[in-house]
Amino acid sequence: SGLEEDVKKTIGENPVVVYSKTWCSYSSEVKSLFKRLGVNPHVVELDQLGSQGSELQKTLESLTGQRTVPNVFIGSKHIGGCSDTVKLHQQGKLESLLSEAGAV
Amino acid sequence: SGLEEDVKKTIGENPVVVYSKTWCSYSSEVKSLFKRLGVNPHVVELDQLGSQGSELQKTLESLTGQRTVPNVFIGSKHIGGCSDTVKLHQQGKLESLLSEAGAV
Ligand SMILES: N[C@@H](CCC(=O)N[C@@H](CS)C(=O)NCC(=O)O)C(=O)O
Ligand SMILES: N[C@@H](CCC(=O)N[C@@H](CS)C(=O)NCC(=O)O)C(=O)O
Ligand code: FES
């Protein structure tokens, strides 16, 4: 579908992508974690896209099995949500994923 | 106003009140913290109240200065949001507030 192609293009062209909502603290947490690590994520704020936002959220669910935000990709690989990303960082694995993806 | 009276009645009749949204992880975090502490909070899910939900959220802002969720009250006292509640718990202060309010 058009939106599926959009997502694949976005995650292919950007080492770090966060599908987010502007009002959501879990989304803010993951965005600031990346900034603290010197990464400038490509952020898509789903709540600012009107009806396309919920369409995109459904597309992400069919692509990744995850219907929640934040939805994080590194090097085109689906990472998960806020807790998944924080856990990878606590395990010392996040920074190597980021450098492999050319994000840092 | 009607809604202001509703809020005052609710926080007066219930030792612990959480104004919440069902989809919000910060709201879930504070609700499960209370359950872990043996507390059964009175929860008001603002997203399930249609237009009255946003009216209530505005009323809470005028009463407490806080426009975000979760919005937590213990013993009729405004506590704050998720981070405020977690901080009080980390400082060892939350459980005495709860017993003073007759919540545990
Ligand atoms: N454990 C997940 C929780 C994800 C989650 O529940 N996200 C909420 C917002 S905090 C959500 O997407 N709710 C449904 C929605 O907003 O459409 C994470 O860490 O990302
Ligand atoms: N630091 C605050 C953050 C509160 C916050 O930003 N809440 C968000 C949801 S996570 C909110 O209310 N956004 C606007 C809205 O949902 O109306 C807390 O710990 O509670
Ligand atoms: S909406 Fe509150 S943490 Fe995501």
Side-chain angles (χ1 to χ4, degrees):
Chain A
S1 77
L3 286 183
E4 216 172 276
E5 292 316 308
D6 287 352
V7 172
K8 289 178 180 174
K9 184 168 190 284
T10 298
I11 68 180
E13 295 177 351
N14 299 282
V16 181
V17 182
V18 180
Y19 290 91
S20 165
K21 289 186 185 177
T22 57
W23 63 61
C24 170
S25 295
Y26 262 35
S27 298
S28 313
E29 268 191 36
V30 89
K31 286 180 285 187
S32 30
L33 170 58
F34 283 129
K35 293 204 183 98
R36 281 203 304 282
L37 298 176
V39 172
N40 195 17
H42 178 86
V43 178
V44 181
E45 299 291 1
L46 296 177
D47 56 297
Q48 295 185 327
L49 300 175
S51 60
Q52 196 175 81
S54 50
E55 287 309 304
L56 209 33
Q57 198 168 349
K58 291 201 197 93
T59 301
L60 287 164
E61 179 175 10
S62 64
L63 281 173
T64 66
Q66 180 184 320
R67 61 164 194 79
T68 55
V69 291
N71 204 332
V72 179
F73 295 81
I74 299 175
S76 295
K77 191 156 155 281
H78 181 240
I79 298 301
C82 178
S83 10
D84 303 302
T85 308
V86 168
K87 188 161 155 199
L88 280 173
H89 189 43
Q90 289 168 344
Q91 293 171 336
K93 296 178 181 174
L94 189 61
E95 289 181 277
S96 45
L97 278 174
L98 290 168
S99 49
E100 278 165 29
V104 277
Chain B
S1 78
L3 286 183
E4 217 172 274
E5 292 316 308
D6 287 351
V7 172
K8 288 176 179 175
K9 184 167 191 284
T10 299
I11 67 180
E13 293 177 351
N14 299 281
V16 182
V17 181
V18 181
Y19 289 91
S20 164
K21 288 184 185 180
T22 57
W23 63 61
C24 169
S25 295
Y26 262 35
S27 297
S28 313
E29 269 190 36
V30 90
K31 287 179 285 187
S32 28
L33 170 59
F34 283 129
K35 293 204 182 98
R36 280 203 304 281
L37 297 177
V39 172
N40 194 16
H42 179 87
V43 177
V44 181
E45 300 290 3
L46 297 177
D47 56 296
Q48 295 184 327
L49 300 176
S51 60
Q52 196 176 80
S54 51
E55 287 309 304
L56 207 35
Q57 197 167 349
K58 291 200 196 93
T59 301
L60 287 164
E61 180 177 8
S62 63
L63 281 173
T64 66
Q66 179 183 321
R67 61 165 194 79
T68 55
V69 291
N71 203 332
V72 179
F73 295 82
I74 299 174
S76 296
K77 189 154 157 279
H78 181 239
I79 298 300
C82 178
S83 9
D84 303 304
T85 308
V86 167
K87 188 162 156 198
L88 280 173
H89 188 43
Q90 287 167 344
Q91 293 172 336
K93 296 179 182 174
L94 189 62
E95 289 180 278
S96 45
L97 278 173
L98 290 168
S99 48
E100 278 166 31
V104 279

Short mmCIF file of all heavy atoms in Angstrom, two decimals, chain B residues 71-103:
data_model
loop_
_atom_site.label_atom_id
_atom_site.label_comp_id
_atom_site.label_asym_id
_atom_site.label_seq_id
_atom_site.Cartn_x
_atom_site.Cartn_y
_atom_site.Cartn_z
N ASN B 71 -3.28 12.85 36.91
CA ASN B 71 -3.37 13.92 37.91
C ASN B 71 -3.82 13.24 39.21
O ASN B 71 -4.91 12.67 39.27
CB ASN B 71 -4.36 15.00 37.48
CG ASN B 71 -4.08 16.34 38.16
OD1 ASN B 71 -3.56 16.36 39.27
ND2 ASN B 71 -4.43 17.43 37.51
N VAL B 72 -2.95 13.30 40.22
CA VAL B 72 -3.08 12.47 41.42
C VAL B 72 -3.40 13.30 42.67
O VAL B 72 -2.77 14.34 42.90
CB VAL B 72 -1.76 11.69 41.68
CG1 VAL B 72 -1.86 10.83 42.94
CG2 VAL B 72 -1.40 10.84 40.47
N PHE B 73 -4.39 12.82 43.43
CA PHE B 73 -4.76 13.44 44.71
C PHE B 73 -4.69 12.37 45.80
O PHE B 73 -5.13 11.23 45.59
CB PHE B 73 -6.20 13.99 44.67
CG PHE B 73 -6.40 15.13 43.71
CD1 PHE B 73 -6.59 14.88 42.36
CD2 PHE B 73 -6.39 16.44 44.16
CE1 PHE B 73 -6.78 15.93 41.46
CE2 PHE B 73 -6.59 17.50 43.27
CZ PHE B 73 -6.78 17.23 41.92
N ILE B 74 -4.14 12.73 46.97
CA ILE B 74 -4.14 11.84 48.13
C ILE B 74 -4.68 12.63 49.32
O ILE B 74 -4.14 13.71 49.63
CB ILE B 74 -2.74 11.28 48.45
CG1 ILE B 74 -2.21 10.46 47.25
CG2 ILE B 74 -2.78 10.41 49.70
CD1 ILE B 74 -0.77 9.99 47.41
N GLY B 75 -5.72 12.12 49.97
CA GLY B 75 -6.31 12.83 51.10
C GLY B 75 -6.72 14.24 50.70
O GLY B 75 -6.46 15.21 51.42
N SER B 76 -7.34 14.38 49.54
CA SER B 76 -7.79 15.66 48.98
C SER B 76 -6.67 16.61 48.59
O SER B 76 -6.92 17.69 48.07
CB SER B 76 -8.71 16.42 49.95
OG SER B 76 -9.89 15.70 50.18
N LYS B 77 -5.43 16.20 48.80
CA LYS B 77 -4.29 17.05 48.51
C LYS B 77 -3.78 16.74 47.10
O LYS B 77 -3.65 15.59 46.72
CB LYS B 77 -3.20 16.74 49.55
CG LYS B 77 -2.00 17.65 49.57
CD LYS B 77 -1.38 17.65 50.96
CE LYS B 77 0.08 18.06 50.92
NZ LYS B 77 0.98 16.93 50.53
N HIS B 78 -3.50 17.82 46.32
CA HIS B 78 -2.97 17.62 44.98
C HIS B 78 -1.51 17.18 45.06
O HIS B 78 -0.68 17.89 45.62
CB HIS B 78 -3.08 18.89 44.13
CG HIS B 78 -2.57 18.71 42.75
ND1 HIS B 78 -1.54 19.46 42.22
CD2 HIS B 78 -2.94 17.84 41.76
CE1 HIS B 78 -1.30 19.07 40.99
NE2 HIS B 78 -2.14 18.09 40.68
N ILE B 79 -1.20 15.98 44.51
CA ILE B 79 0.15 15.43 44.57
C ILE B 79 0.94 15.80 43.31
O ILE B 79 2.12 16.14 43.38
CB ILE B 79 0.08 13.90 44.73
CG1 ILE B 79 -0.60 13.53 46.05
CG2 ILE B 79 1.47 13.26 44.63
CD1 ILE B 79 0.09 14.05 47.30
N GLY B 80 0.30 15.71 42.18
CA GLY B 80 0.99 16.02 40.92
C GLY B 80 0.77 14.92 39.90
O GLY B 80 -0.31 14.36 39.83
N GLY B 81 1.82 14.64 39.11
CA GLY B 81 1.70 13.65 38.05
C GLY B 81 2.41 12.36 38.41
O GLY B 81 2.65 12.06 39.59
N CYS B 82 2.79 11.62 37.37
CA CYS B 82 3.46 10.33 37.60
C CYS B 82 4.82 10.53 38.25
O CYS B 82 5.13 9.90 39.28
CB CYS B 82 3.60 9.59 36.26
SG CYS B 82 4.45 8.00 36.39
N SER B 83 5.65 11.43 37.68
CA SER B 83 7.00 11.60 38.23
C SER B 83 6.98 12.13 39.66
O SER B 83 7.82 11.72 40.49
CB SER B 83 7.88 12.49 37.35
OG SER B 83 7.16 13.12 36.32
N ASP B 84 6.03 13.02 39.97
CA ASP B 84 5.93 13.55 41.34
C ASP B 84 5.62 12.42 42.32
O ASP B 84 6.20 12.35 43.41
CB ASP B 84 4.80 14.59 41.42
CG ASP B 84 4.99 15.74 40.47
OD1 ASP B 84 6.06 16.39 40.52
OD2 ASP B 84 4.09 15.99 39.64
N THR B 85 4.69 11.52 41.91
CA THR B 85 4.27 10.43 42.79
C THR B 85 5.41 9.44 42.99
O THR B 85 5.70 9.01 44.12
CB THR B 85 3.04 9.73 42.17
OG1 THR B 85 2.03 10.71 41.88
CG2 THR B 85 2.47 8.70 43.14
N VAL B 86 6.08 9.09 41.90
CA VAL B 86 7.22 8.16 41.97
C VAL B 86 8.33 8.75 42.84
O VAL B 86 8.94 8.06 43.66
CB VAL B 86 7.74 7.84 40.55
CG1 VAL B 86 9.09 7.14 40.59
CG2 VAL B 86 6.72 7.00 39.79
N LYS B 87 8.56 10.07 42.70
CA LYS B 87 9.62 10.74 43.48
C LYS B 87 9.31 10.66 44.98
O LYS B 87 10.19 10.35 45.79
CB LYS B 87 9.70 12.20 43.04
CG LYS B 87 10.87 12.98 43.61
CD LYS B 87 11.09 14.23 42.75
CE LYS B 87 11.78 15.35 43.50
NZ LYS B 87 11.57 16.64 42.77
N LEU B 88 8.04 10.92 45.33
CA LEU B 88 7.64 10.84 46.74
C LEU B 88 7.89 9.43 47.28
O LEU B 88 8.30 9.24 48.42
CB LEU B 88 6.15 11.19 46.90
CG LEU B 88 5.79 12.67 46.90
CD1 LEU B 88 4.28 12.84 46.89
CD2 LEU B 88 6.39 13.37 48.13
N HIS B 89 7.63 8.43 46.42
CA HIS B 89 7.83 7.04 46.83
C HIS B 89 9.32 6.76 47.03
O HIS B 89 9.72 6.14 48.01
CB HIS B 89 7.23 6.09 45.80
CG HIS B 89 7.23 4.66 46.23
ND1 HIS B 89 6.88 4.27 47.51
CD2 HIS B 89 7.56 3.52 45.58
CE1 HIS B 89 6.98 2.95 47.61
NE2 HIS B 89 7.39 2.47 46.45
N GLN B 90 10.15 7.28 46.10
CA GLN B 90 11.60 7.08 46.22
C GLN B 90 12.15 7.78 47.46
O GLN B 90 13.14 7.34 48.04
CB GLN B 90 12.30 7.62 44.96
CG GLN B 90 12.08 6.72 43.75
CD GLN B 90 12.49 7.35 42.43
OE1 GLN B 90 12.67 8.57 42.33
NE2 GLN B 90 12.63 6.55 41.39
N GLN B 91 11.47 8.89 47.87
CA GLN B 91 11.90 9.61 49.08
C GLN B 91 11.34 8.98 50.34
O GLN B 91 11.56 9.48 51.44
CB GLN B 91 11.43 11.08 49.00
CG GLN B 91 12.11 11.89 47.92
CD GLN B 91 11.48 13.27 47.74
OE1 GLN B 91 10.32 13.49 48.06
NE2 GLN B 91 12.25 14.20 47.20
N GLY B 92 10.57 7.88 50.17
CA GLY B 92 9.99 7.22 51.34
C GLY B 92 8.82 7.96 51.96
O GLY B 92 8.40 7.65 53.08
N LYS B 93 8.26 8.94 51.23
CA LYS B 93 7.20 9.76 51.82
C LYS B 93 5.79 9.31 51.42
O LYS B 93 4.80 9.69 52.05
CB LYS B 93 7.38 11.22 51.37
CG LYS B 93 8.65 11.86 51.87
CD LYS B 93 8.79 13.30 51.37
CE LYS B 93 10.10 13.91 51.85
NZ LYS B 93 10.33 15.26 51.27
N LEU B 94 5.70 8.50 50.36
CA LEU B 94 4.38 8.20 49.80
C LEU B 94 3.53 7.37 50.76
O LEU B 94 2.34 7.65 50.96
CB LEU B 94 4.52 7.49 48.45
CG LEU B 94 3.23 7.29 47.66
CD1 LEU B 94 2.59 8.63 47.28
CD2 LEU B 94 3.51 6.49 46.38
N GLU B 95 4.16 6.36 51.37
CA GLU B 95 3.35 5.45 52.19
C GLU B 95 2.76 6.12 53.42
O GLU B 95 1.63 5.82 53.82
CB GLU B 95 4.17 4.19 52.52
CG GLU B 95 4.32 3.35 51.25
CD GLU B 95 5.10 2.07 51.43
OE1 GLU B 95 6.35 2.12 51.40
OE2 GLU B 95 4.47 1.01 51.58
N SER B 96 3.48 7.10 54.03
CA SER B 96 2.88 7.80 55.17
C SER B 96 1.74 8.70 54.73
O SER B 96 0.72 8.82 55.43
CB SER B 96 3.95 8.59 55.94
OG SER B 96 4.77 9.30 55.05
N LEU B 97 1.88 9.33 53.56
CA LEU B 97 0.78 10.14 53.01
C LEU B 97 -0.45 9.26 52.83
O LEU B 97 -1.58 9.67 53.15
CB LEU B 97 1.16 10.73 51.65
CG LEU B 97 2.00 12.01 51.60
CD1 LEU B 97 2.40 12.33 50.17
CD2 LEU B 97 1.23 13.19 52.20
N LEU B 98 -0.23 8.03 52.33
CA LEU B 98 -1.34 7.12 52.07
C LEU B 98 -2.00 6.66 53.36
O LEU B 98 -3.24 6.59 53.45
CB LEU B 98 -0.85 5.91 51.27
CG LEU B 98 -0.47 6.20 49.81
CD1 LEU B 98 0.28 5.02 49.21
CD2 LEU B 98 -1.71 6.52 48.98
N SER B 99 -1.19 6.36 54.40
CA SER B 99 -1.82 5.89 55.65
C SER B 99 -2.53 7.05 56.35
O SER B 99 -3.62 6.87 56.90
CB SER B 99 -0.81 5.21 56.57
OG SER B 99 0.35 5.98 56.70
N GLU B 100 -1.94 8.25 56.29
CA GLU B 100 -2.61 9.44 56.86
C GLU B 100 -3.97 9.66 56.22
O GLU B 100 -4.91 10.11 56.89
CB GLU B 100 -1.77 10.70 56.64
CG GLU B 100 -0.65 10.89 57.66
CD GLU B 100 0.36 11.94 57.18
OE1 GLU B 100 -0.05 12.88 56.45
OE2 GLU B 100 1.56 11.83 57.52
N ALA B 101 -4.07 9.35 54.93
CA ALA B 101 -5.32 9.56 54.20
C ALA B 101 -6.29 8.41 54.39
O ALA B 101 -7.41 8.43 53.88
CB ALA B 101 -5.02 9.76 52.71
N GLY B 102 -5.84 7.38 55.13
CA GLY B 102 -6.70 6.22 55.35
C GLY B 102 -6.81 5.31 54.14
O GLY B 102 -7.76 4.55 54.01
N ALA B 103 -5.81 5.40 53.25
CA ALA B 103 -5.86 4.59 52.03
C ALA B 103 -5.24 3.22 52.22
O ALA B 103 -5.45 2.33 51.41
CB ALA B 103 -5.12 5.33 50.91
#
